[in-house]
Structure formats: C-alpha cells, structure tokens
Amino acid sequence: MSETSPAGPPPLLTSPILPTLLRFALPNMGAMLATALAAIAETRYVGGFGSPALAGMALVFPFVMFQMMLSAGAMGGGVSSAVSRALGAGDPARANALAVHALWIALAAGVVYMVAMLTLGETLLAKLGGQGEALAQAMAYANVAFLGSVFVWLVNTLASVIRGAGNMAVPSVTLFLVALLQVALGGAFGLGWGPFPRLGMAGVAAGSVIAYGAGAAWLWAYLVSGRSRIALRVGATRFQRALFADILRVGAVACISPLQTVLTILILTRLVAQFGTDALAGYGIGTRLEFLLVPIAFAVGVASVPLVGMAIGAGRIARARRAAWTAAALATAILGGLGLIVTVAPDLWTRLFTQDPAVLAAAASYFGWAGPVYGLFGLGLSLYFSSLGAGKAIGPVLAGTLRLVMVAGGGVLLAMWQTPTWTIFALLSAGMAVYGFSSVLFVRFTPWGVEKA
C-alpha cells in the first residue's frame, strides 16, 4: 500500500482510526494466531511424548517466548516506531537508512541470544527446577531451537520495518506461511511422519528453525527487490550513530518489559515446580494459552504503531492518543471475552493436550484465577505497543516493574508459608490486574509532545 500522496499528507494521518486499526489488525491477528497455533501444535506433538516432555516444554517455553517478545515486540516496536516517525515527518531516506541499521541490530542480537542459550541453557533450566527426564527433554528441544535465533530475529525485525511503513499484508502472509511450514516440518521430524525419522523433541524444534530460516530469506529478498516502500540498501548505507540511537532509545528501553514478563513467568514456574510434574505440566498448558493471547494483543497493539508513530512525527498528538486508546479498548474486549470462556470451561482448552486428571485439575485452577483478568493483561500490552509508537516506552516498563515486584515479593512469602498451588495462581492474577491498571495511569500522565498548529 502507499504511505504517501503527492496531493497531501500520508493517508494514515487522515484515515478514520477504528476502521484503519481493524484493517491493520485483522491480517496481523491471522498471522499471529497462526504463529501461536504452531506453538500449540508443537505442544500437542510433545504431549504424545508423555508428561516429562510436557514439563520440559514448560521449562524451556519462557525462553522461547522471551526471544519472540524481544525481537517482535520490544526491539521490533522500536524499529516500527522509528520508521513510521521518519515517514510521518516526510523523510523517506531516513526511513530507508533506519531499516539497514535495524538489520544489523537483529543480526547481532540473534547471535548473542543463540550463544547465551547454548552455553547457559541447561544451568538456567535446572535453576527453574528442571531435573531428571523433564530437564533432558527440555535440553533436547533447546539445543536445536536456539540454533535458529538469528532467523527469528531477522524475520521479526524485517517484518517490523515493513509494518512501520503501514504495510501489514506482507509481514502477515509471511508469518502465516512460516507457521504452516513449522507445523508441517515439526510433525514430520518430531513424530516421524512418512519417510522422516522420529527425532522427538529435537525434531519438533528443527521444524521451527527451518521455517524461520525460509521466512528470513523471503523478507530479505522482498526488501532488496524494490517492491516495498522501504528499500534495504545495505551496501549504500553507512553506519550512523544517530540512527542506531533512534531505534535503541525506544527498543532498548522496551526490552526491559519482556525481561520483566519472563522473570515473572520464571518465578511462577519455579514456584509451581515444587508441586511436582503434574502441576508443572498443567501450568505449562495454561501458559500456552497466554502465548495465544499475547499475539492477539500484539496484533492490535502493533497495528496502532504506524498510526501513532506517523501522527507523532507530524505533530498530531491528539490523534496519536486517540489511536492508542482505541486500540487498547479493542484488545481489552477481545482478550476479556476469551478469558471468560476458559474461566467457565477450561477443559475446552486443556483436553487438547492431555487427559491426565491431575494435569487437568492443575490447569483448571490456573484458568479460574487467570482467565478473569486476561482483558486487563491485553489492555496493558496494547498500551505498551502504542507507547512504542510514540517513542515513550518508560510508562509501560514501569507498569511491568510493579507486576514483577508484586509477584517476586509475594512469591517469597508464599514459598515461606508453603501455601497450596492455587495461591500462586491468585498471585499471578493480581499481577496481571496491576499491570493493566497501572499502564493506563502511566500512559495517561506521560507527555507525548506538543500539538502542532
């Protein structure tokens, strides 16, 4: 789609907000749901390997989720924000140069994440409470999955470049196809479909690595080809510290938020692990639904980034705020409805993965507490992305800090008092509620700039 018009301002500065958000969010939602369903398919494959494998997946899942949140949400949001603000200010050459700098950031971050997980992974998983067969299964997955970290970072960063220009179709179709390929290859290598050997957890992980490698190659080719509004001219673009700074001043601060989220999950995982494999497996199934809900909030929130970013670049502060609050209301309504469903009927979800009564009971307890506040969780996540578009990430980061402090402090007390499992899930629920409400307050009272006449 075209982002500029010779006769006037970019269409994203004048188009109706809600219809534009829906038009952007729906393809994003399809792609993000496909990505989440690929992860769910992986969990279903793993469920066939037994409860230790499910417990192992619960151990490694926070680190997989962390990588996705860093690359697609935090740094990706910083990339989209920088590109959209440049276009809103009428500077396409700067937007092109920002795309190249984003590429180098992605390559460096992918290598660092890969090396960190391959060298420290087993120690981290053991400290989470992983032991015996559960730890062995987790490492079988991790040692293959994190070999593809660079591909994950490239896919999500290049997709963010394209989204920053207001084009949601190409990233969405790419991620949808990557998800389909991941499901097919994960099943083929993991379960031994057709002529393929049954490689178990390592095979499931290999499907993801190959799929993201293919996606990275396609997005690179698309941006180099000249078909995009943003041109990726690596050889013709020299390093500029100011451009790295423009991305990192938003993206680097935003990376604190997924770190807080994952630390929160790690604390909760460690608390649940003390109740045994069945409780950990049930909790893991519950957090898999969160992995489905996060992409929905992501789809709505990231749709607001070019709307907010271009408005900020053009000095249209009031319009930027309207876009942020509209996206927040939409995300709250969608996630709140889904949360109500799993609160009332948790087995609709959990029986997709297991029939074990003890695991079903643990998952039902989790959903009874977490489901009612999923809407508030979506509210906070959507405002997080809109704040990235405005280049003002600190508010939602502070909201995440409050949630982390609450869960960490409460977790210490619950461990000391040796309380039952449901109290941990109640703590998780309270943390989500605090995150949503505090995000509203921080965004409301954070200045986003001065309105231009």
Side-chain angles (χ1 to χ4, degrees):
M1 61 174 290
S2 174
E3 277 76 75
T4 60
S5 168
L12 292 188
L13 293 177
T14 58
S15 59
I17 290 174
L18 181 58
T20 304
L21 269 175
L22 290 172
R23 179 163 55 87
F24 281 1
L26 288 176
N28 282 337
M29 200 173 295
M32 294 300 101
L33 285 175
T35 300
L37 289 172
I40 293 164
E42 284 190 344
T43 304
R44 191 171 177 84
Y45 299 156
V46 169
F49 304 147
S51 291
L54 275 175
M57 198 67 164
L59 289 170
V60 76
F61 168 69
F63 298 99
V64 175
M65 180 177 169
F66 184 42
Q67 178 171 242
M68 294 298 293
M69 293 173 71
L70 284 175
S71 58
M75 196 61 70
V79 169
S80 291
S81 173
V83 170
S84 63
R85 283 183 282 110
L87 292 173
D91 193 348
R94 180 181 178 85
N96 291 339
L98 283 164
V100 175
H101 287 69
L103 171 67
W104 291 117
I105 291 172
L107 289 170
V111 169
V112 168
Y113 203 91
M114 176 186 69
V115 171
M117 289 308 302
L118 293 181
T119 55
L120 302 175
E122 186 167 7
T123 300
L124 292 172
L125 296 177
K127 287 187 178 297
L128 276 181
Q131 55 186 322
E133 183 62 20
L135 180 58
Q137 293 285 350
M139 288 307 302
Y141 183 91
N143 283 336
V144 175
F146 294 115
L147 286 173
S149 290
V150 170
F151 298 147
V152 172
W153 276 86
L154 282 175
V155 165
N156 289 323
T157 299
L158 297 179
S160 297
V161 167
I162 299 168
R163 288 193 194 101
N167 182 343
M168 303 292 165
V170 170
S172 297
V173 171
T174 300
L175 290 173
F176 183 82
L177 294 176
V178 165
L180 290 182
L181 189 59
Q182 181 180 350
V183 170
L185 294 178
F189 293 130
L191 303 179
W193 291 346
F196 297 99
R198 182 183 173 93
L199 300 177
M201 294 286 274
V204 174
S208 175
V209 172
I210 296 171
Y212 273 91
W218 157 245
L219 288 177
W220 180 299
Y222 176 77
L223 283 167
V224 169
S225 70
R227 287 177 287 173
S228 171
R229 294 287 300 177
I230 301 295
L232 194 63
R233 302 188 180 98
V234 178
T237 304
R238 62 182 180 86
F239 284 179
Q240 298 181 51
R241 183 176 300 179
L243 297 183
F244 281 121
D246 195 7
I247 296 171
L248 293 174
R249 74 179 179 83
V250 177
V253 173
C255 284
I256 299 172
S257 182
L259 176 60
Q260 293 167 334
T261 299
V262 171
L263 285 175
T264 301
I265 293 172
L266 293 178
I267 291 169
L268 292 166
T269 301
R270 184 66 183 89
L271 290 171
V272 174
Q274 67 185 319
F275 295 97
T277 298
D278 290 334
L280 186 58
Y283 172 69
I285 289 173
T287 56
R288 278 287 160 171
L289 182 61
E290 284 187 37
F291 192 54
L292 177 62
L293 297 178
V294 167
I296 296 174
F298 175 94
V300 176
V302 81
S304 74
V305 171
L307 278 168
V308 172
M310 288 195 188
I312 292 292
R316 304 276 298 277
I317 311 302
R319 178 177 174 84
R321 287 194 173 275
R322 285 198 304 272
W325 294 122
T326 303
L330 185 60
T332 303
I334 295 172
L335 268 67
L338 292 174
L340 180 62
I341 292 173
V342 293
T343 301
V344 175
D347 284 1
L348 290 176
W349 176 258
T350 54
R351 287 190 181 276
L352 293 173
F353 309 103
T354 183
Q355 304 301 317
D356 187 311
V359 177
L360 290 172
S365 177
Y366 167 86
F367 285 128
W369 287 99
V373 294
Y374 277 158
L376 294 175
F377 185 53
L379 171 65
L381 282 175
S382 180
L383 289 174
Y384 164 73
F385 285 108
S386 295
S387 296
L388 297 186
K392 303 288 183 179
I394 191 65
V397 168
L398 291 175
T401 302
L402 290 177
R403 179 189 179 198
L404 176 60
V405 169
M406 181 177 180
V407 169
V412 169
L413 294 177
L414 294 181
M416 290 173 54
W417 296 336
Q418 296 183 332
T419 57
T421 314
W422 70 263
T423 60
I424 298 170
F425 299 149
L427 178 64
L428 177 151
S429 174
M432 286 186 180
V434 166
Y435 175 63
F437 286 128
S438 59
S439 293
V440 171
L441 293 176
F442 282 123
V443 171
R444 170 66 179 81
F445 293 106
T446 297
W448 277 12
V450 178
E451 186 83 13
K452 288 185 180 178

